[in-house]
Amino acid sequence: MSEVDEIVSSLAMELRRGILVLSVLSQLEEEQYGYSLVQRLTERGLAIDQSTLYPLLRRLEKQELLDSSWSLDEARPRRYYVLNAKGKKVLNRLMTEWIHLNDIITKLLKTKNGDGNNEKLD
């Protein structure tokens, strides 16, 4: 891997970390357990490792954005997570912030001629 590839990989990982909270919150308006959430995110194009997801879910619960409950109805107990009222408020604010930042970045990344076509620069 070239030096540029390593730098891009590292920076892309930082960008990805920044969107994980928003991505996870956006999928918890209905109750999900960890593995079903991994599957749902992956199906929608965002692969996430369980070793990344579970600590994030615990952190979001500690921040009182999620409620959780154990279900013993299946062969294995499952912990289900869902947004609570505070989590919904945070999600809505983060979505607004994301849209605002995305608009800014889109404007910044437009080509100099202003036609809106992004050119790949190498």
Side-chain angles (χ1 to χ4, degrees), residues 79-97:
R79 190 171 193 166
Y80 283 83
Y81 298 89
V82 67
L83 281 177
N84 57 30
K86 182 178 175 182
K88 288 177 184 178
K89 288 178 185 176
V90 168
L91 172 59
N92 287 331
R93 298 271 303 274
L94 285 176
M95 286 180 358
T96 300
E97 185 67 19

Side-chain angles (χ1 to χ4, degrees), residues 30-76:
E30 61 184 52
E31 204 172 52
Q32 295 284 320
Y33 62 96
Y35 184 69
S36 69
L37 185 55
V38 167
Q39 288 179 310
R40 178 178 262 195
L41 289 166
T42 300
E43 287 168 2
R44 288 165 171 79
L46 182 66
I48 183 170
D49 197 68
Q50 291 183 31
S51 64
T52 301
L53 178 63
Y54 288 108
L56 175 58
L57 289 171
R58 285 191 292 275
R59 183 169 53 102
L60 294 172
E61 187 176 24
K62 187 174 182 178
Q63 292 173 327
E64 300 178 344
L65 304 180
L66 305 178
D67 292 332
S68 71
S69 61
W70 284 96
S71 172
L72 306 174
D73 295 339
E74 314 233 354
R76 292 177 30 192

Side-chain angles (χ1 to χ4, degrees), residues 1 3 6-7 12-13 17 22 29 32 43 46 54 64 67-68 73 88 92 100-101 103-105 109 114 117:
M1 184 181 286
E3 181 182 5
E6 289 179 20
I7 292 169
M13 186 65 73
R17 269 189 227 115
L22 177 58
E29 292 191 274
Q32 295 284 320
E43 287 168 2
L46 182 66
Y54 288 108
E64 300 178 344
D67 292 332
S68 71
D73 295 339
K88 288 177 184 178
N92 287 331
H100 175 72
L101 290 171
D103 288 345
I104 291 169
I105 294 296
L109 296 179
N117 294 324

